[in-house]
């Protein structure tokens, strides 16, 4: 098998899925049309509710949803071979993820752009709304820890990479200030991008210097620095850091993956992984569980992701100019993210399996696999750092992408620069999600505790902002400092996919209320049944075999308790929904399977 065949096949599947299933779902099931104004027009305030060109809205939405998940999940799932991950990326995205994103966006727009918990409260009652809000707080906390864990593996003992990533913070601030003062978007964008590139190329010269020694950090130190950074990102004005970082990272996201696709067409890398590996039954060095359900848990954002519901019921529903734009922005952006996941899988599986496992498993664990590295010593020498034992997926993805880029004759001697650029690219990707996610967690905390402490609900009350930001950073920072990538990433996957299940629950409820045919509810029920069963099987397996197993390296009472709480919240939401579905199914508005009036 070669990478070019996979990429061309994936593009064909996703294009066909968008053209056929996307049209059917949005036009026939959701009945979208432009006869009535969107919330952006109805509530246009020039600040939050602003009618936006669909391609601009697409860019915002894609930049917000495409964080580390489609990069890291497929890389870690390569443990099972290339086929399980590839199938889940394509089938899961078309049947599940795109449906989920479109229906959550539609449901929020029906309720004037309200958040998922508020929409659930109106559609299914206060119990479902409260459980959804609480689940969102748990899930965003775990998500931040899981994403941050990836950064640790990439930047540990890597002064060049640490410098390249750290310099993006003052660059983003400079761009934010310059744009606010001048209003010149093109000039400030150009300056920001040039400074980012300079940061990568200056990196080698700091190695061996005092600054290089300061930036040679261990995992524990990095695990303290990241929450501190996130605190300031969550508390500072949005335009000062978050907005310019989002903007600059969107250029990198799109540009790097276009370059990777071109590189695959030039090099046509051989997929060195087998169709499936010996670890499909469990016992793998990265993900302990079997291929099912864990391939669908490990690969979250590239196939279906509950994190998208935060965006689809947050900023995006307040931006869409037309209802028809849901197809492009909601359904389409998810399929583009799936392609990003496919490219990450190709990059990872183009490595020799022994080299892949040497990077992604701890040295002591790799020693038990009976494998001998093949190209890793040469890759380490060309890149300039020791690559073994850099767990988390980010490093193996960077190595795989570097191997593809340097396969182009002109770039043969640029391994170190390509590697560090990809590391910076991944870290900027991830930090964008971390600082934005921490800000969302801050809002959730203020909403929850604001019922008891009234001023806390005000986002302009600085004591409340500082307290909520600090609490949010402490919660996920604790998990980051004490955790390991395998258990944390799986905890993130379970919580994230539980959130996606909640989004599909909402979707099924809305479809039963508006559909012309009851059978259309299967568009949400089919992926919901698969995903909800997978989530519970994976969650129970992890609680039993890892979190509450004192003999396991991932033993963590806290992670087990968090898993139990989340699974219970899911059960309450599903039971509440089932009661509502029975009433809707038997509603007199349905006659011989056809609706006589929407609810």
């Amino acid at each position: 098998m070669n990478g070019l065949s996979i990429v061309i096949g994936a593009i064909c599947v996703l294009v066909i899925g968008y053209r056929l299933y996307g049209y059917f779902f949005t036009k026939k099931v959701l009945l979208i049309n432009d006869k009535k104004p969107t919330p952006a027009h109805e509530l246009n305030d020039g600040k939050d509710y602003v009618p936006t060109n669909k391609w601009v809205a697409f860019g915002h939405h894609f930049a917000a949803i495409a964080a580390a998940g489609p990069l890291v999940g497929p890389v870690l799932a390569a443990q099972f071979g290339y086929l399980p991950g590839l199938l889940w990326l394509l089938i899961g995205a078309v049947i599940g993820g795109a449906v989920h994103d479109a229906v959550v966006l539609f449901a929020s727009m029906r309720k004037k752009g309200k958040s998922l918990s508020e929409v659930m409260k109106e559609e299914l009652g206060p119990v479902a709304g409260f459980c959804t809000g609480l689940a969102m707080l748990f899930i965003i906390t775990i998500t931040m820890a899981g994403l941050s864990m990836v950064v640790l593996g990439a930047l540990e003992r890597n002064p060049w990479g640490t410098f390249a990533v750290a310099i993006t913070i003052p660059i983003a601030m400079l761009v934010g200030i310059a744009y606010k003062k001048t209003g010149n978007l093109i000039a400030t964008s150009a300056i920001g991008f040039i400074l980012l590139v300079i940061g990568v190329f200056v990196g080698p010269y700091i190695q061996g210097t005092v600054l290089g020694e300061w930036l040679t950090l261990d995992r524990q130190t990095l695990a303290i620095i990241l929450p501190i950074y996130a605190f300031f990102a969550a508390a500072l004005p949005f335009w000062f850091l978050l907005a310019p970082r989002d903007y600059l990272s969107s250029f990198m996201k799109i540009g790097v993956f276009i370059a990777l696709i071109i590189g695959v067409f030039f090099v046509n890398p051989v997929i060195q992984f087998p169709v499936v590996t010996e670890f499909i039954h469990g016992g793998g060095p990265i993900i302990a569980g079997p291929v099912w359900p864990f391939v669908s848990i490990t690969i979250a954002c590239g196939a279906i992701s509950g994190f998208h519901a935060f965006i689809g019921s947050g900023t995006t529903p307040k931006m869409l100019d037309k209802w028809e734009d849901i197809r492009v922005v909601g359904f389409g952006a998810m399929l583009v993210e799936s392609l990003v996941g496919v490219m990450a899988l190709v990059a990872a599986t183009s490595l020799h399996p022994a080299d892949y496992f040497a990077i992604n498993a701890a040295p002591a664990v790799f020693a038990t696999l009976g494998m001998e590295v093949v190209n890793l010593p040469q890759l380490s020498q060309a890149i300039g750092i020791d690559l073994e034992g850099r767990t988390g997926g980010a490093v193996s993805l960077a190595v795989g992408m570097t191997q593809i880029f340097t396969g182009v004759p002109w770039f043969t001697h640029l391994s170190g620069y390509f590697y560090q650029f990809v590391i910076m690219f991944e870290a900027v990707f991830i930090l964008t999600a971390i600082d934005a996610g921490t800000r969302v967690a801050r809002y959730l905390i203020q909403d929850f505790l604001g019922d008891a402490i009234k001023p806390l609900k005000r986002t302009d009350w600085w004591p409340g902002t500082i307290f909520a930001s600090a609490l949010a950073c402490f919660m996920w920072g604790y998990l980051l400092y004490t955790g390991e990538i395998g258990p944390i990433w799986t905890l993130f996957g379970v919580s994230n996919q539980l959130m996606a299940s909640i989004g599909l629950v909402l979707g099924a409820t809305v479809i039963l209320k508006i559909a012309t045919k009851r059978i259309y509810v299967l568009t949400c029920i089919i992926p919901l049944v698969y995903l909800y069963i997978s989530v519970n099987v994976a969650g129970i397996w992890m609680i039993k075999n890892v979190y509450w197993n004192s003999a396991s390296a991932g033993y963590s009472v806290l992670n087990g308790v968090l898993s139990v709480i989340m699974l219970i919240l899911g059960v309450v939401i599903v039971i509440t929904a089932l009661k509502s579905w029975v009433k809707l199914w038997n509603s007199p508005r349905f006659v011989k399977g056809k609706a006589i009036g929407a609810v």
Side-chain angles (χ1 to χ4, degrees):
M1 178 61 71
N2 58 66
L4 185 57
S5 299
I6 291 177
V7 172
I8 292 175
I11 291 173
C12 291
V13 169
L14 296 174
V15 169
I16 292 171
Y18 175 79
R19 180 64 186 86
L20 299 181
Y21 196 54
Y23 182 86
F24 165 77
F25 184 70
T26 54
K27 292 294 287 186
K28 301 295 185 180
V29 178
L30 298 184
L31 301 174
I32 62 171
N33 61 68
D34 292 322
K35 292 181 180 179
K36 62 178 182 177
T38 63
H41 285 282
E42 282 188 297
L43 305 174
N44 188 351
D45 59 5
K47 181 182 177 182
D48 295 317
Y49 291 85
V50 181
T52 307
N53 176 277
K54 68 179 177 182
W55 298 113
V56 175
F58 175 92
H60 159 81
H61 187 77
F62 178 73
I65 66 173
L71 300 179
V72 176
V75 173
L76 299 179
Q79 169 189 278
F80 301 120
Y82 74 82
L83 186 61
L86 180 62
L87 291 176
W88 173 238
L89 280 166
L90 297 179
I91 298 172
V94 175
I95 304 299
V99 167
H100 168 275
D101 289 11
V103 79
V104 169
L105 180 55
F106 174 78
S108 178
M109 290 176 68
R110 287 181 74 237
K111 300 298 182 181
K112 312 301 182 185
K114 291 182 179 179
S115 69
L116 183 64
S117 59
E118 290 298 312
V119 177
M120 287 287 283
K121 185 186 298 183
E122 293 191 22
E123 297 286 3
L124 289 170
V127 173
F130 174 81
C131 289
T132 299
L134 189 57
M136 289 173 72
L137 182 58
F138 274 106
I139 289 164
I140 198 70
T141 299
I142 294 165
T143 297
M144 295 305 97
L147 297 181
S148 300
M149 189 69 72
V150 179
V151 179
L152 300 192
L155 300 185
E156 180 186 12
R157 308 186 312 277
N158 181 6
W160 183 357
T162 302
F163 174 80
V165 171
I167 201 69
T168 65
I169 298 172
I171 290 173
M173 292 178 177
L174 177 63
V175 169
I177 294 171
Y179 178 64
K180 190 173 180 65
K181 294 290 185 182
T182 67
N184 191 327
L185 183 61
I186 295 176
T188 54
S189 301
I191 292 171
F193 182 76
I194 291 170
L195 290 175
L196 287 176
V197 174
I198 291 173
V200 175
F201 280 91
V202 169
Y205 300 102
I206 73 162
Q207 299 186 101
T209 67
V210 174
L211 179 59
E213 292 179 5
W214 289 348
L215 295 177
T216 304
L217 305 174
D218 58 27
R219 294 178 73 91
Q220 260 55 45
T221 303
L222 287 166
I224 295 173
I225 291 173
L226 282 177
I228 292 174
Y229 156 74
F231 166 77
F232 287 103
L236 288 171
F238 185 77
W239 61 266
F240 188 54
L241 179 57
L242 292 192
R245 178 178 285 283
D246 275 347
Y247 182 68
L248 291 174
S249 69
S250 66
F251 282 106
M252 295 183 67
K253 291 176 183 182
I254 296 170
V256 169
F257 272 95
I258 289 176
L260 182 58
I261 291 173
I262 294 172
V264 168
F265 273 81
F266 265 98
V267 178
N268 191 16
V270 174
I271 302 300
Q272 301 197 54
F273 268 61
V275 174
V276 295
T277 68
E278 61 187 288
F279 302 117
I280 58 171
H281 303 297
I286 302 169
I287 304 298
V291 65
W292 184 83
F294 284 96
V295 70
S296 300
I297 300 302
T298 306
I299 300 179
C301 299
I304 181 171
S305 169
F307 185 73
H308 296 188
F310 289 91
I311 310 302
S313 63
T315 53
T316 306
K318 302 175 180 66
M319 297 172 63
L320 294 198
D321 183 44
K322 299 178 180 179
W323 288 88
E324 294 278 0
D325 294 347
I326 290 174
R327 187 182 309 114
V328 172
V329 177
F331 206 95
M334 178 64 243
L335 299 186
V336 175
E337 185 174 1
S338 175
L339 182 59
V340 172
V342 171
M343 298 306 301
L345 181 66
V346 168
T349 54
S350 66
L351 295 172
H352 190 281
D355 296 340
Y356 165 88
F357 284 112
I359 296 172
N360 284 290
V365 176
F366 178 72
T368 66
L369 300 180
M371 297 180 178
E372 293 291 334
V373 295
V374 178
N375 301 314
L376 198 59
Q378 295 92 323
L379 289 169
S380 295
Q381 184 176 8
I383 290 170
I385 63 171
D386 177 23
L387 297 172
E388 292 190 26
R390 290 182 176 269
T391 60
V395 169
S396 54
L397 174 59
V399 173
M401 291 175 68
T402 298
Q403 189 170 258
I404 292 173
F405 287 142
T406 54
V408 178
W410 305 309
F411 304 143
T412 305
H413 304 295
L414 296 176
S415 295
Y417 287 102
F418 274 118
Y419 174 83
Q420 296 298 353
F421 184 81
V422 174
I423 286 295
M424 184 183 72
F425 154 74
E426 292 179 287
V428 170
F429 236 67
I430 296 166
L431 288 176
T432 300
I434 290 171
D435 48 30
T438 304
R439 204 176 187 94
V440 170
R442 173 197 132 194
Y443 293 151
L444 289 171
I445 290 171
Q446 288 182 271
D447 280 342
F448 260 81
L449 300 183
D451 292 330
I453 308 172
K454 297 300 181 183
L456 199 59
K457 279 188 176 290
R458 288 171 37 207
T459 56
D460 60 347
W461 187 51
W462 275 103
T465 296
I466 293 171
F467 168 75
S469 299
L471 181 59
C473 292
F474 173 78
M475 289 192 299
W476 68 257
Y478 178 80
L479 292 177
L480 175 67
Y481 190 82
T482 60
E484 294 292 337
I485 182 61
I488 285 291
W489 189 264
T490 305
L491 182 63
F492 157 65
V494 169
S495 62
N496 189 52
Q497 301 302 58
L498 178 62
M499 192 75 243
S501 299
I502 294 171
L504 290 170
V505 165
L506 172 62
T509 305
V510 170
I511 289 171
L512 278 174
K513 289 186 175 184
I514 68 169
T516 57
K517 297 181 181 179
R518 286 182 295 191
I519 197 171
Y520 286 164
V521 75
L522 292 179
T523 56
C524 284
I525 292 295
I526 290 174
L528 171 60
V529 169
Y530 171 80
L531 194 63
Y532 187 66
I533 291 173
S534 298
V535 162
N536 281 275
V537 171
I540 293 170
W541 193 96
M542 289 297 294
I543 293 168
K544 178 182 177 182
N545 295 286
V546 179
Y547 300 142
W548 288 353
N549 178 8
S550 58
S552 170
Y555 174 73
S556 171
V557 174
L558 175 60
N559 287 359
V561 170
L562 291 174
S563 299
V564 169
I565 292 173
M566 287 189 298
L567 294 180
I568 291 174
L569 289 173
V571 169
V572 173
I573 292 170
V574 168
I575 291 174
T576 303
L578 285 172
K579 293 179 180 179
S580 175
W581 294 347
V582 170
K583 293 179 181 178
L584 290 170
W585 187 269
N586 295 321
S587 170
R589 80 186 191 89
F590 283 107
V591 178
K592 296 182 180 180
K594 293 187 177 181
I596 59 175
V599 175

